[in-house]
């Protein structure tokens, strides 16, 4: 049956679509928000399990290496070294190769980190996300990250739920305005669900599509959608914070404000480098010879070789963040690795995803920021600096917020998300200084980790008008007849 027949008012779907289009704000978003939230929560569960089992088989069984785990996965320090070091580059190479083959053959738009394509759909055509691309994104990202590629799990989950929002827009013939909100809700609720951060996910839905603006229309539906997604995900995977309750007894000390300002400056610098190096790699990769399968595979091979020197760059790296939140854990990591890891993780993510691989860039940004904070604390501790927290967790959490929150132009959303992921809302007063300093610095540059973001609602609306109503070219004779 043709698509037009499916959505005609004489069919059940058509009647439901007409009911939704004619519904008021409350009833419409109650139905759509819950529907998108259910898919976001289930999609997050499916991808989490796919990623875990793929990683256990490829890196764990074939590579003989057990990665450290975040508290949500049981914690633990993992293996002390590689049992079969020769296998690691080959496994990362093989995972990247198969992932790239899937993307090239079935859904070329599934390459890269995914969130940008969902943001672009919000601004151009909320009906444009193909269901096939969602499935390919899930499989290819599980292969890329599960084999050791440096990527985050938020990109695929965002695309699953954003794709469902796009599907609802098509099937029920929703207006473009409603479609944009539906896709935005999918982005925020998917990311919020898989990180166990529903409030941050709701705020992210309203802020991630703009660099200097906030879509208030998506905020209240976002609460419903993200809350539903988290309820589904947590009912299956558990409700504990991703990194456990980090520094629950911390009390804000005004004497540490200078340190939070330092964290903000350093986080802005590293966040700026993250965006520039990542998109520099994307641009360079496009100019290099070789196909869309060869380049990601070579990138994977290089990541595997880098991991032989710095194992912390493998996969998502959340377990290493868990280790870095305690003094005892951080001291087990050599100082030189703590210092170089932010740059090494940027390079690994650029080689894994920037060359055309599949996976998110939010997760690596969290790891990069965490080790910015860890490095500052470690150096300050060595120097015997005053007003220093007893452990590194406060610095780690604040830098996680500041580094990615600033370069993603979503400081409030990321700050709330990290607080939920660590159960550490007591850190927020000081972290606000770090995030504010970092964001003010980044705002003075044209850099964003999400290039599909528009400046604000006005510029996005003007762009849509220009696209839908292109200027009619006038000739000199036309002007003379005015």
């Amino acid at each position: 049956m043709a698509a037009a027949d499916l959505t005609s008012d004489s069919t059940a779907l058509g009647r439901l679509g007409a009911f939704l289009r004619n519904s008021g704000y409350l009833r419409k978003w109650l139905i759509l928000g819950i529907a998108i939230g259910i898919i976001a929560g289930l999609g997050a569960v499916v991808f989490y399990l796919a990623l875990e089992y793929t990683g256990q088989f490829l890196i764990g069984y074939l590579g003989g290496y057990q990665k450290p785990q975040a508290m949500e996965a049981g914690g633990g320090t993992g293996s002390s070294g590689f049992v079969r070091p020769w296998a690691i580059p080959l496994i990362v190479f093989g995972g990247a190769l198969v992932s790239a083959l899937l993307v090239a053959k079935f859904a070329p738009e599934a390459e890269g980190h995914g969130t940008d394509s969902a943001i672009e759909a919000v601004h151009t055509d909320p009906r444009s996300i193909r269901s096939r691309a969602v499935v390919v994104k899930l499989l290819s990202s599980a292969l890329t990250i599960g084999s050791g590629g440096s990527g985050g799990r938020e990109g695929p989950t965002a695309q699953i739920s954003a794709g469902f929002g796009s599907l609802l827009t098509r099937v029920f013939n929703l207006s473009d305005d409603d479609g944009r909100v539906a896709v935005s809700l999918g982005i925020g609720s998917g990311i919020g669900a898989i990180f166990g951060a529903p409030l941050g996910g709701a705020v992210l839905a309203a802020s991630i599509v703009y660099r200097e603006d906030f879509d208030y229309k998506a905020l209240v539906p976002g609460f419903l959608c993200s809350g539903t997604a988290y309820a589904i995900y947590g009912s299956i995977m558990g409700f504990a914070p991703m990194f456990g309750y980090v520094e629950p007894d911390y009390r804000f000390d005004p004497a540490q404000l200078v340190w939070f300002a330092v964290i903000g400056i350093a986080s802005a610098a590293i966040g700026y480098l993250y965006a520039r190096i990542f998109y520099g790699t994307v641009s360079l990769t496009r100019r290099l010879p070789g196909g869309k399968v060869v380049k990601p595979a070579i990138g994977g091979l290089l990541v595997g070789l880098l991991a032989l020197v710095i194992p912390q760059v493998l996969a998502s790296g959340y377990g290493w963040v868990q280790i870095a939140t305690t003094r005892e854990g951080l001291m087990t990591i050599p100082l030189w690795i703590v210092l170089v890891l932010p740059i090494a993780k940027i390079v690994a993510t650029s080689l894994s995803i920037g060359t055309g691989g599949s996976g998110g860039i939010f997760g690596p940004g969290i790891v990069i920021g965490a080790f910015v904070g860890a490095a500052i604390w470690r150096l300050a501790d060595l120097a015997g600096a005053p007003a220093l927290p007893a452990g590194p967790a406060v610095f780690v959490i604040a830098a996680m917020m500041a580094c990615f929150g600033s370069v993603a132009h979503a400081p409030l959303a990321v700050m709330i998300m990290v607080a939920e992921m660590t159960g550490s809302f007591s850190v927020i007063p000081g972290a606000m200084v770090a995030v504010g300093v970092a964001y003010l610095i980044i705002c003075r540059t044209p850099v964003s980790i999400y290039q599909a973001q528009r400046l604000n609602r006005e510029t996005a609306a003007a762009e849509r008008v220009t696209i839908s109503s292109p200027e009619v070219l006038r000739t000199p004779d036309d002007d003379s007849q005015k």
Side-chain angles (χ1 to χ4, degrees), residues 73-86:
T77 57
S79 304
S80 58
F82 294 119
V83 175
R84 293 184 285 275
W86 56 268

Side-chain angles (χ1 to χ4, degrees), residues 474-482:
R474 303 187 66 86
T475 66
D477 289 340
D478 292 328
D479 292 330
S480 65
Q481 294 173 6
K482 287 183 180 179

Side-chain angles (χ1 to χ4, degrees), residues 37 40-41 189 192-193 195-198 225-236 238-241:
S189 59
F195 283 124
C225 186
S226 196
T228 302
Y230 178 62
I232 298 291
Y233 180 82
S235 296
I236 300 170
F239 291 101

Side-chain angles (χ1 to χ4, degrees), residues 54 58-59 62 87-103 139-149 293 296-301 352 356-358:
T54 303
L58 294 177
I59 290 293
L62 296 181
I88 299 300
L90 297 178
I91 291 169
V92 186
F93 169 80
L97 178 65
V98 177
S99 171
L101 282 168
L102 282 174
V103 170
L139 296 174
S140 59
S141 296
L143 283 168
T144 297
I145 304 169
S147 65
V293 174
I298 293 175
L301 178 63
S352 297
S358 187

Side-chain angles (χ1 to χ4, degrees), residues 25 206 213-221 457:
Y25 177 85
D213 209 341
F214 195 83
D215 187 0
Y216 65 92
K217 292 181 180 178
L219 184 60
V220 175
R457 284 174 291 163

Side-chain angles (χ1 to χ4, degrees), residues 277-302:
I277 292 174
F278 181 84
Y279 286 109
T281 303
V282 172
S283 178
L284 177 63
T285 300
R286 288 171 179 164
R287 296 197 300 269
L288 290 175
K292 289 183 175 293
V293 174
V294 174
K295 295 175 187 178
I298 293 175
L301 178 63
L302 294 175

Side-chain angles (χ1 to χ4, degrees), residues 394-407:
V394 175
F395 281 21
V396 168
I397 295 167
M400 288 164 73
M401 296 175 178
C403 186
F404 198 79
S406 61
V407 78

Side-chain angles (χ1 to χ4, degrees), residues 32-388:
L32 292 175
I34 290 177
I36 295 170
I38 290 172
I39 297 300
L42 292 175
V45 170
V46 170
F47 183 70
Y48 179 89
L49 294 176
L51 189 57
E52 282 297 299
Y53 289 131
T54 303
Q56 288 174 15
F57 178 73
L58 294 177
I59 290 293
Y61 178 72
L62 296 181
Y65 176 66
Q66 299 300 323
K67 307 185 302 293
Q69 299 285 351
M71 194 62 69
E72 65 170 357
T77 57
S79 304
S80 58
F82 294 119
V83 175
R84 293 184 285 275
W86 56 268
I88 299 300
L90 297 178
I91 291 169
V92 186
F93 169 80
L97 178 65
V98 177
S99 171
L101 282 168
L102 282 174
V103 170
K105 182 171 179 60
F106 296 107
E109 68 267 35
E111 75 172 46
H113 59 84
T115 308
D116 248 350
S117 62
I119 295 173
E120 187 64 30
V122 171
H123 292 301
T124 54
D125 183 5
R127 297 169 174 80
S128 64
I129 303 176
R130 293 196 298 166
S131 300
R132 176 191 292 186
V134 171
V135 176
V136 172
K137 186 71 177 179
L138 188 154
L139 296 174
S140 59
S141 296
L143 283 168
T144 297
I145 304 169
S147 65
S150 179
R153 60 198 193 192
E154 82 292 339
T157 52
Q159 201 157 38
I160 290 170
S161 40
F164 184 67
S166 183
L167 176 65
L168 291 179
T169 306
R170 292 195 301 272
V171 170
F172 296 132
N173 196 25
L174 301 179
S175 68
D176 285 351
D177 284 343
D178 286 343
R180 280 189 278 274
V181 173
V183 175
S184 296
L185 294 182
I187 297 171
S189 59
I191 295 175
I194 203 160
F195 283 124
L199 178 56
V203 177
L204 191 70
S207 58
I208 196 171
V209 299
Y210 301 111
R211 292 183 61 186
E212 298 179 1
D213 209 341
F214 195 83
D215 187 0
Y216 65 92
K217 292 181 180 178
L219 184 60
V220 175
F223 293 149
L224 180 64
C225 186
S226 196
T228 302
Y230 178 62
I232 298 291
Y233 180 82
S235 296
I236 300 170
M237 306 305 301
F239 291 101
M242 180 176 173
F243 295 110
Y245 292 93
V246 181
E247 291 284 19
D249 300 324
Y250 173 76
R251 294 294 179 268
F252 174 62
D253 183 356
Q256 295 170 359
L257 282 177
V258 173
W259 285 117
F260 286 115
V262 170
I263 290 170
I265 295 169
S267 297
I270 296 298
Y272 178 87
L273 284 177
Y274 183 24
R276 293 303 298 267
I277 292 174
F278 181 84
Y279 286 109
T281 303
V282 172
S283 178
L284 177 63
T285 300
R286 288 171 179 164
R287 296 197 300 269
L288 290 175
K292 289 183 175 293
V293 174
V294 174
K295 295 175 187 178
I298 293 175
L301 178 63
L302 294 175
V303 170
L305 294 172
L306 177 61
L308 297 180
V309 182
I310 308 176
Q312 290 79 4
V313 302
L314 280 176
S316 298
Y318 305 135
W320 292 107
V321 175
Q322 188 76 65
I323 291 172
T325 57
T326 65
R327 182 187 185 97
E328 297 77 14
L330 183 59
M331 291 301 180
T332 64
I333 306 174
L335 176 60
W336 73 270
I337 288 184
V338 175
L339 296 178
V340 305
L341 186 54
I343 301 299
K345 190 67 174 173
I346 290 172
V347 171
T349 306
S350 300
L351 290 172
S352 297
I353 313 302
T355 56
S358 187
I361 54 176
F362 181 110
I366 293 296
V367 178
I368 292 163
F371 277 88
V372 170
I376 292 173
W377 184 89
R378 188 84 176 264
L379 290 176
D381 183 62
L382 280 174
L388 200 65

